Amino acid sequence: MTKTAWIFPGQGSQATGMGVDLQSLPIAQTKFEQAERILGWSVLDLCQTELEKLSRTLYTQPCLYVVEAILADLMLERGHQPDLVAGHSLGEYVALYAARVFDFEAGLSLVKRRAELMDSASQGVMAALMGFDRAQLEALIDQIDGVVLANDNDLNQVVISGTSEAVEAVLSRIKAKRIVPLKVSGAFHSPLMEEAAAEFQQILEAVPFKFAKVPVLSNVEPKPAIEANVLKARLIQQMTGSVRWREISVQLAQEKVERVVEVGPGKVLTGLMKRAAPGVALSNISGFNDLPA
């Protein structure tokens, strides 16, 4: 049997029209109806609106969770099973759902509140860097207070997060092929999210977690785990902790994973995997036509 991992993308992978091709399927209809009751608005409608609105954190995160969860359920319904799961930032919630750590509605309720808290964050900024000297960047982050490595995607692609002054200080001193300021409301995955994270922790701790049916690699600790208390503790740290995706990619290769399936819109994560673990077979399940028989 081929050892397979399912990986779930996060904010940034959203696309207008995602999930629309699933709406006639019974599983999807049920999930879209459940989501509307929880959210108070239609995921299908939002996914067909202009990208600017869909890309607002308040809407992006619940929409991605719902669409990716439906795709995961359809995969499971067709008899496909992962050996491990992982998700990038918001995608970790879908990974936990796919591993049956919590049910769909509990997960969406968490994602809804997470999105609200992150959307209302007003401190700090984020910027993506591609093609840079890693040692120089790490030295600058060590020297400058108020900035952290928020997303360690691969050796040549990262996101930094922090106060506007600290981020600008790093960007003014680093040489990079490309620098992209991110259109986000605050400094996600940094200490500036501590107030929001503290409020979210109270909500998270009240939600019962089950042992995972398959091991989950978490953003803040990219080692496989199934224990409910461990997975919850890792998720509590996620809002202020770094997304260690580069290490997740390496760990999947070390776990002898032979095939990685990105479940969700786009090919961001398989693109990163291609560079980090070139010998692994990659595929994408972005919509109905990608579903295996």
Side-chain angles (χ1 to χ4, degrees), residues 101-132:
V101 173
F102 44 62
D103 64 27
F104 173 80
E105 291 180 309
L108 182 55
S109 295
L110 287 173
V111 168
K112 175 180 183 286
R113 190 64 189 127
R114 180 184 192 262
E116 290 168 348
L117 289 167
M118 294 178 76
D119 186 68
S120 62
S122 58
Q123 294 187 71
V125 297
M126 302 179 77
L129 291 84
M130 286 141 276
F132 54 89

PDB file of all heavy atoms in Angstrom, residues 101-132:
ATOM      1  N   VAL A 101     -11.080  14.403  14.817  1.00  0.00           N
ATOM      2  CA  VAL A 101     -10.788  14.913  16.157  1.00  0.00           C
ATOM      3  C   VAL A 101     -11.998  15.662  16.703  1.00  0.00           C
ATOM      4  O   VAL A 101     -12.270  15.654  17.896  1.00  0.00           O
ATOM      5  CB  VAL A 101      -9.532  15.810  16.135  1.00  0.00           C
ATOM      6  CG1 VAL A 101      -9.297  16.486  17.482  1.00  0.00           C
ATOM      7  CG2 VAL A 101      -8.314  14.981  15.734  1.00  0.00           C
ATOM      8  N   PHE A 102     -12.721  16.349  15.826  1.00  0.00           N
ATOM      9  CA  PHE A 102     -13.999  16.973  16.178  1.00  0.00           C
ATOM     10  C   PHE A 102     -14.933  16.868  14.980  1.00  0.00           C
ATOM     11  O   PHE A 102     -14.498  16.532  13.876  1.00  0.00           O
ATOM     12  CB  PHE A 102     -13.838  18.429  16.621  1.00  0.00           C
ATOM     13  CG  PHE A 102     -12.902  19.265  15.784  1.00  0.00           C
ATOM     14  CD1 PHE A 102     -13.154  19.516  14.433  1.00  0.00           C
ATOM     15  CD2 PHE A 102     -11.748  19.810  16.339  1.00  0.00           C
ATOM     16  CE1 PHE A 102     -12.300  20.280  13.669  1.00  0.00           C
ATOM     17  CE2 PHE A 102     -10.880  20.583  15.576  1.00  0.00           C
ATOM     18  CZ  PHE A 102     -11.152  20.823  14.253  1.00  0.00           C
ATOM     19  N   ASP A 103     -16.224  17.130  15.190  1.00  0.00           N
ATOM     20  CA  ASP A 103     -17.158  17.031  14.075  1.00  0.00           C
ATOM     21  C   ASP A 103     -17.169  18.316  13.260  1.00  0.00           C
ATOM     22  O   ASP A 103     -16.561  19.320  13.641  1.00  0.00           O
ATOM     23  CB  ASP A 103     -18.564  16.642  14.548  1.00  0.00           C
ATOM     24  CG  ASP A 103     -19.230  17.687  15.445  1.00  0.00           C
ATOM     25  OD1 ASP A 103     -18.911  18.886  15.325  1.00  0.00           O
ATOM     26  OD2 ASP A 103     -20.091  17.296  16.263  1.00  0.00           O
ATOM     27  N   PHE A 104     -17.858  18.281  12.131  1.00  0.00           N
ATOM     28  CA  PHE A 104     -17.862  19.397  11.190  1.00  0.00           C
ATOM     29  C   PHE A 104     -18.356  20.685  11.837  1.00  0.00           C
ATOM     30  O   PHE A 104     -17.748  21.747  11.680  1.00  0.00           O
ATOM     31  CB  PHE A 104     -18.738  19.040   9.982  1.00  0.00           C
ATOM     32  CG  PHE A 104     -18.961  20.182   9.028  1.00  0.00           C
ATOM     33  CD1 PHE A 104     -17.996  20.535   8.094  1.00  0.00           C
ATOM     34  CD2 PHE A 104     -20.148  20.916   9.058  1.00  0.00           C
ATOM     35  CE1 PHE A 104     -18.187  21.597   7.219  1.00  0.00           C
ATOM     36  CE2 PHE A 104     -20.356  21.969   8.181  1.00  0.00           C
ATOM     37  CZ  PHE A 104     -19.369  22.314   7.266  1.00  0.00           C
ATOM     38  N   GLU A 105     -19.453  20.604  12.564  1.00  0.00           N
ATOM     39  CA  GLU A 105     -20.042  21.803  13.138  1.00  0.00           C
ATOM     40  C   GLU A 105     -19.168  22.399  14.234  1.00  0.00           C
ATOM     41  O   GLU A 105     -19.026  23.621  14.323  1.00  0.00           O
ATOM     42  CB  GLU A 105     -21.448  21.494  13.653  1.00  0.00           C
ATOM     43  CG  GLU A 105     -22.436  21.209  12.517  1.00  0.00           C
ATOM     44  CD  GLU A 105     -23.828  20.897  13.011  1.00  0.00           C
ATOM     45  OE1 GLU A 105     -23.945  20.016  13.887  1.00  0.00           O
ATOM     46  OE2 GLU A 105     -24.784  21.521  12.533  1.00  0.00           O
ATOM     47  N   ALA A 106     -18.566  21.558  15.058  1.00  0.00           N
ATOM     48  CA  ALA A 106     -17.662  22.067  16.103  1.00  0.00           C
ATOM     49  C   ALA A 106     -16.464  22.767  15.469  1.00  0.00           C
ATOM     50  O   ALA A 106     -16.049  23.848  15.914  1.00  0.00           O
ATOM     51  CB  ALA A 106     -17.200  20.920  16.998  1.00  0.00           C
ATOM     52  N   GLY A 107     -15.922  22.153  14.421  1.00  0.00           N
ATOM     53  CA  GLY A 107     -14.781  22.761  13.735  1.00  0.00           C
ATOM     54  C   GLY A 107     -15.135  24.085  13.099  1.00  0.00           C
ATOM     55  O   GLY A 107     -14.385  25.059  13.200  1.00  0.00           O
ATOM     56  N   LEU A 108     -16.301  24.149  12.450  1.00  0.00           N
ATOM     57  CA  LEU A 108     -16.703  25.392  11.794  1.00  0.00           C
ATOM     58  C   LEU A 108     -16.981  26.486  12.824  1.00  0.00           C
ATOM     59  O   LEU A 108     -16.660  27.661  12.583  1.00  0.00           O
ATOM     60  CB  LEU A 108     -17.924  25.168  10.918  1.00  0.00           C
ATOM     61  CG  LEU A 108     -18.427  26.392  10.142  1.00  0.00           C
ATOM     62  CD1 LEU A 108     -17.324  27.008   9.285  1.00  0.00           C
ATOM     63  CD2 LEU A 108     -19.632  26.052   9.284  1.00  0.00           C
ATOM     64  N   SER A 109     -17.550  26.139  13.953  1.00  0.00           N
ATOM     65  CA  SER A 109     -17.787  27.132  15.008  1.00  0.00           C
ATOM     66  C   SER A 109     -16.469  27.719  15.500  1.00  0.00           C
ATOM     67  O   SER A 109     -16.369  28.936  15.741  1.00  0.00           O
ATOM     68  CB  SER A 109     -18.558  26.497  16.168  1.00  0.00           C
ATOM     69  OG  SER A 109     -19.853  26.109  15.757  1.00  0.00           O
ATOM     70  N   LEU A 110     -15.448  26.877  15.634  1.00  0.00           N
ATOM     71  CA  LEU A 110     -14.123  27.361  16.017  1.00  0.00           C
ATOM     72  C   LEU A 110     -13.542  28.267  14.935  1.00  0.00           C
ATOM     73  O   LEU A 110     -13.009  29.342  15.229  1.00  0.00           O
ATOM     74  CB  LEU A 110     -13.177  26.184  16.266  1.00  0.00           C
ATOM     75  CG  LEU A 110     -13.384  25.373  17.538  1.00  0.00           C
ATOM     76  CD1 LEU A 110     -12.476  24.151  17.539  1.00  0.00           C
ATOM     77  CD2 LEU A 110     -13.112  26.233  18.778  1.00  0.00           C
ATOM     78  N   VAL A 111     -13.650  27.842  13.692  1.00  0.00           N
ATOM     79  CA  VAL A 111     -13.107  28.624  12.585  1.00  0.00           C
ATOM     80  C   VAL A 111     -13.822  29.973  12.470  1.00  0.00           C
ATOM     81  O   VAL A 111     -13.188  31.004  12.201  1.00  0.00           O
ATOM     82  CB  VAL A 111     -13.205  27.824  11.262  1.00  0.00           C
ATOM     83  CG1 VAL A 111     -12.933  28.714  10.057  1.00  0.00           C
ATOM     84  CG2 VAL A 111     -12.225  26.649  11.284  1.00  0.00           C
ATOM     85  N   LYS A 112     -15.126  29.972  12.674  1.00  0.00           N
ATOM     86  CA  LYS A 112     -15.896  31.220  12.621  1.00  0.00           C
ATOM     87  C   LYS A 112     -15.364  32.222  13.645  1.00  0.00           C
ATOM     88  O   LYS A 112     -15.116  33.391  13.318  1.00  0.00           O
ATOM     89  CB  LYS A 112     -17.370  30.935  12.887  1.00  0.00           C
ATOM     90  CG  LYS A 112     -18.266  32.179  12.984  1.00  0.00           C
ATOM     91  CD  LYS A 112     -19.721  31.772  13.252  1.00  0.00           C
ATOM     92  CE  LYS A 112     -20.644  32.995  13.287  1.00  0.00           C
ATOM     93  NZ  LYS A 112     -20.463  33.772  14.539  1.00  0.00           N
ATOM     94  N   ARG A 113     -15.171  31.773  14.874  1.00  0.00           N
ATOM     95  CA  ARG A 113     -14.690  32.696  15.910  1.00  0.00           C
ATOM     96  C   ARG A 113     -13.241  33.089  15.660  1.00  0.00           C
ATOM     97  O   ARG A 113     -12.859  34.248  15.873  1.00  0.00           O
ATOM     98  CB  ARG A 113     -14.833  32.056  17.296  1.00  0.00           C
ATOM     99  CG  ARG A 113     -14.574  33.030  18.421  1.00  0.00           C
ATOM    100  CD  ARG A 113     -15.613  34.142  18.424  1.00  0.00           C
ATOM    101  NE  ARG A 113     -15.285  35.214  19.369  1.00  0.00           N
ATOM    102  CZ  ARG A 113     -15.221  36.504  19.051  1.00  0.00           C
ATOM    103  NH1 ARG A 113     -15.486  36.899  17.815  1.00  0.00           N
ATOM    104  NH2 ARG A 113     -14.931  37.406  19.954  1.00  0.00           N
ATOM    105  N   ARG A 114     -12.437  32.156  15.200  1.00  0.00           N
ATOM    106  CA  ARG A 114     -11.038  32.465  14.869  1.00  0.00           C
ATOM    107  C   ARG A 114     -10.972  33.546  13.796  1.00  0.00           C
ATOM    108  O   ARG A 114     -10.204  34.507  13.891  1.00  0.00           O
ATOM    109  CB  ARG A 114     -10.349  31.192  14.371  1.00  0.00           C
ATOM    110  CG  ARG A 114      -8.869  31.339  13.975  1.00  0.00           C
ATOM    111  CD  ARG A 114      -8.400  30.013  13.409  1.00  0.00           C
ATOM    112  NE  ARG A 114      -6.957  29.931  13.246  1.00  0.00           N
ATOM    113  CZ  ARG A 114      -6.304  30.148  12.113  1.00  0.00           C
ATOM    114  NH1 ARG A 114      -6.980  30.531  11.026  1.00  0.00           N
ATOM    115  NH2 ARG A 114      -4.992  30.010  12.045  1.00  0.00           N
ATOM    116  N   ALA A 115     -11.807  33.391  12.758  1.00  0.00           N
ATOM    117  CA  ALA A 115     -11.825  34.363  11.660  1.00  0.00           C
ATOM    118  C   ALA A 115     -12.267  35.734  12.151  1.00  0.00           C
ATOM    119  O   ALA A 115     -11.721  36.764  11.738  1.00  0.00           O
ATOM    120  CB  ALA A 115     -12.739  33.872  10.542  1.00  0.00           C
ATOM    121  N   GLU A 116     -13.249  35.770  13.031  1.00  0.00           N
ATOM    122  CA  GLU A 116     -13.732  37.040  13.569  1.00  0.00           C
ATOM    123  C   GLU A 116     -12.633  37.751  14.358  1.00  0.00           C
ATOM    124  O   GLU A 116     -12.415  38.961  14.205  1.00  0.00           O
ATOM    125  CB  GLU A 116     -14.959  36.807  14.457  1.00  0.00           C
ATOM    126  CG  GLU A 116     -16.192  36.392  13.692  1.00  0.00           C
ATOM    127  CD  GLU A 116     -17.312  35.886  14.584  1.00  0.00           C
ATOM    128  OE1 GLU A 116     -17.057  35.649  15.793  1.00  0.00           O
ATOM    129  OE2 GLU A 116     -18.436  35.712  14.083  1.00  0.00           O
ATOM    130  N   LEU A 117     -11.942  36.994  15.193  1.00  0.00           N
ATOM    131  CA  LEU A 117     -10.880  37.577  16.016  1.00  0.00           C
ATOM    132  C   LEU A 117      -9.716  38.065  15.157  1.00  0.00           C
ATOM    133  O   LEU A 117      -9.164  39.144  15.383  1.00  0.00           O
ATOM    134  CB  LEU A 117     -10.389  36.560  17.045  1.00  0.00           C
ATOM    135  CG  LEU A 117     -11.364  36.254  18.183  1.00  0.00           C
ATOM    136  CD1 LEU A 117     -10.924  35.013  18.947  1.00  0.00           C
ATOM    137  CD2 LEU A 117     -11.469  37.445  19.127  1.00  0.00           C
ATOM    138  N   MET A 118      -9.334  37.271  14.163  1.00  0.00           N
ATOM    139  CA  MET A 118      -8.213  37.653  13.310  1.00  0.00           C
ATOM    140  C   MET A 118      -8.586  38.809  12.391  1.00  0.00           C
ATOM    141  O   MET A 118      -7.770  39.692  12.122  1.00  0.00           O
ATOM    142  CB  MET A 118      -7.722  36.436  12.512  1.00  0.00           C
ATOM    143  CG  MET A 118      -7.106  35.360  13.404  1.00  0.00           C
ATOM    144  SD  MET A 118      -6.574  33.871  12.517  1.00  0.00           S
ATOM    145  CE  MET A 118      -5.069  34.441  11.750  1.00  0.00           C
ATOM    146  N   ASP A 119      -9.842  38.827  11.931  1.00  0.00           N
ATOM    147  CA  ASP A 119     -10.292  39.906  11.056  1.00  0.00           C
ATOM    148  C   ASP A 119     -10.323  41.247  11.797  1.00  0.00           C
ATOM    149  O   ASP A 119     -10.111  42.300  11.194  1.00  0.00           O
ATOM    150  CB  ASP A 119     -11.686  39.587  10.510  1.00  0.00           C
ATOM    151  CG  ASP A 119     -12.158  40.599   9.475  1.00  0.00           C
ATOM    152  OD1 ASP A 119     -11.565  40.634   8.381  1.00  0.00           O
ATOM    153  OD2 ASP A 119     -13.094  41.353   9.771  1.00  0.00           O
ATOM    154  N   SER A 120     -10.586  41.194  13.105  1.00  0.00           N
ATOM    155  CA  SER A 120     -10.664  42.427  13.885  1.00  0.00           C
ATOM    156  C   SER A 120      -9.313  42.864  14.445  1.00  0.00           C
ATOM    157  O   SER A 120      -9.207  43.922  15.059  1.00  0.00           O
ATOM    158  CB  SER A 120     -11.664  42.268  15.030  1.00  0.00           C
ATOM    159  OG  SER A 120     -11.246  41.256  15.923  1.00  0.00           O
ATOM    160  N   ALA A 121      -8.279  42.050  14.236  1.00  0.00           N
ATOM    161  CA  ALA A 121      -6.934  42.434  14.685  1.00  0.00           C
ATOM    162  C   ALA A 121      -6.488  43.676  13.919  1.00  0.00           C
ATOM    163  O   ALA A 121      -6.694  43.790  12.721  1.00  0.00           O
ATOM    164  CB  ALA A 121      -5.955  41.288  14.446  1.00  0.00           C
ATOM    165  N   SER A 122      -5.886  44.605  14.632  1.00  0.00           N
ATOM    166  CA  SER A 122      -5.509  45.869  13.979  1.00  0.00           C
ATOM    167  C   SER A 122      -4.044  46.222  14.167  1.00  0.00           C
ATOM    168  O   SER A 122      -3.590  47.264  13.702  1.00  0.00           O
ATOM    169  CB  SER A 122      -6.377  47.011  14.517  1.00  0.00           C
ATOM    170  OG  SER A 122      -6.247  47.117  15.918  1.00  0.00           O
ATOM    171  N   GLN A 123      -3.316  45.361  14.846  1.00  0.00           N
ATOM    172  CA  GLN A 123      -1.907  45.662  15.097  1.00  0.00           C
ATOM    173  C   GLN A 123      -1.011  44.908  14.124  1.00  0.00           C
ATOM    174  O   GLN A 123      -1.203  43.718  13.895  1.00  0.00           O
ATOM    175  CB  GLN A 123      -1.517  45.250  16.522  1.00  0.00           C
ATOM    176  CG  GLN A 123      -2.194  46.029  17.621  1.00  0.00           C
ATOM    177  CD  GLN A 123      -1.597  45.660  18.968  1.00  0.00           C
ATOM    178  OE1 GLN A 123      -0.459  46.018  19.287  1.00  0.00           O
ATOM    179  NE2 GLN A 123      -2.354  44.935  19.759  1.00  0.00           N
ATOM    180  N   GLY A 124      -0.026  45.610  13.581  1.00  0.00           N
ATOM    181  CA  GLY A 124       1.034  44.966  12.836  1.00  0.00           C
ATOM    182  C   GLY A 124       0.731  44.672  11.383  1.00  0.00           C
ATOM    183  O   GLY A 124      -0.375  44.898  10.881  1.00  0.00           O
ATOM    184  N   VAL A 125       1.760  44.158  10.715  1.00  0.00           N
ATOM    185  CA  VAL A 125       1.685  43.867   9.285  1.00  0.00           C
ATOM    186  C   VAL A 125       2.422  42.561   9.004  1.00  0.00           C
ATOM    187  O   VAL A 125       3.126  42.023   9.866  1.00  0.00           O
ATOM    188  CB  VAL A 125       2.321  45.006   8.449  1.00  0.00           C
ATOM    189  CG1 VAL A 125       1.564  46.308   8.627  1.00  0.00           C
ATOM    190  CG2 VAL A 125       3.796  45.195   8.814  1.00  0.00           C
ATOM    191  N   MET A 126       2.263  42.081   7.763  1.00  0.00           N
ATOM    192  CA  MET A 126       2.956  40.866   7.319  1.00  0.00           C
ATOM    193  C   MET A 126       3.516  41.097   5.926  1.00  0.00           C
ATOM    194  O   MET A 126       2.964  41.891   5.150  1.00  0.00           O
ATOM    195  CB  MET A 126       2.005  39.664   7.300  1.00  0.00           C
ATOM    196  CG  MET A 126       1.349  39.365   8.627  1.00  0.00           C
ATOM    197  SD  MET A 126       0.212  37.946   8.558  1.00  0.00           S
ATOM    198  CE  MET A 126       1.371  36.565   8.556  1.00  0.00           C
ATOM    199  N   ALA A 127       4.604  40.398   5.609  1.00  0.00           N
ATOM    200  CA  ALA A 127       5.199  40.500   4.273  1.00  0.00           C
ATOM    201  C   ALA A 127       5.819  39.165   3.890  1.00  0.00           C
ATOM    202  O   ALA A 127       6.448  38.496   4.723  1.00  0.00           O
ATOM    203  CB  ALA A 127       6.254  41.595   4.234  1.00  0.00           C
ATOM    204  N   ALA A 128       5.641  38.775   2.638  1.00  0.00           N
ATOM    205  CA  ALA A 128       6.242  37.551   2.113  1.00  0.00           C
ATOM    206  C   ALA A 128       7.561  37.887   1.423  1.00  0.00           C
ATOM    207  O   ALA A 128       7.676  38.916   0.750  1.00  0.00           O
ATOM    208  CB  ALA A 128       5.298  36.888   1.131  1.00  0.00           C
ATOM    209  N   LEU A 129       8.544  37.008   1.604  1.00  0.00           N
ATOM    210  CA  LEU A 129       9.850  37.182   0.966  1.00  0.00           C
ATOM    211  C   LEU A 129      10.179  35.931   0.172  1.00  0.00           C
ATOM    212  O   LEU A 129       9.971  34.805   0.653  1.00  0.00           O
ATOM    213  CB  LEU A 129      10.956  37.414   1.995  1.00  0.00           C
ATOM    214  CG  LEU A 129      10.953  38.732   2.769  1.00  0.00           C
ATOM    215  CD1 LEU A 129      10.017  38.637   3.980  1.00  0.00           C
ATOM    216  CD2 LEU A 129      12.364  39.070   3.254  1.00  0.00           C
ATOM    217  N   MET A 130      10.708  36.124  -1.034  1.00  0.00           N
ATOM    218  CA  MET A 130      11.137  35.015  -1.872  1.00  0.00           C
ATOM    219  C   MET A 130      12.528  35.289  -2.420  1.00  0.00           C
ATOM    220  O   MET A 130      12.814  36.420  -2.830  1.00  0.00           O
ATOM    221  CB  MET A 130      10.161  34.821  -3.036  1.00  0.00           C
ATOM    222  CG  MET A 130       8.841  34.190  -2.618  1.00  0.00           C
ATOM    223  SD  MET A 130       7.399  34.879  -3.470  1.00  0.00           S
ATOM    224  CE  MET A 130       7.056  36.312  -2.462  1.00  0.00           C
ATOM    225  N   GLY A 131      13.387  34.285  -2.379  1.00  0.00           N
ATOM    226  CA  GLY A 131      14.732  34.431  -2.915  1.00  0.00           C
ATOM    227  C   GLY A 131      15.594  35.365  -2.090  1.00  0.00           C
ATOM    228  O   GLY A 131      15.846  36.490  -2.487  1.00  0.00           O
ATOM    229  N   PHE A 132      16.059  34.911  -0.936  1.00  0.00           N
ATOM    230  CA  PHE A 132      16.795  35.759   0.006  1.00  0.00           C
ATOM    231  C   PHE A 132      17.882  34.932   0.676  1.00  0.00           C
ATOM    232  O   PHE A 132      17.916  33.700   0.552  1.00  0.00           O
ATOM    233  CB  PHE A 132      15.835  36.312   1.067  1.00  0.00           C
ATOM    234  CG  PHE A 132      15.051  35.219   1.762  1.00  0.00           C
ATOM    235  CD1 PHE A 132      15.538  34.594   2.893  1.00  0.00           C
ATOM    236  CD2 PHE A 132      13.835  34.792   1.238  1.00  0.00           C
ATOM    237  CE1 PHE A 132      14.834  33.567   3.499  1.00  0.00           C
ATOM    238  CE2 PHE A 132      13.124  33.772   1.839  1.00  0.00           C
ATOM    239  CZ  PHE A 132      13.628  33.150   2.972  1.00  0.00           C
TER     240      PHE A 132
END
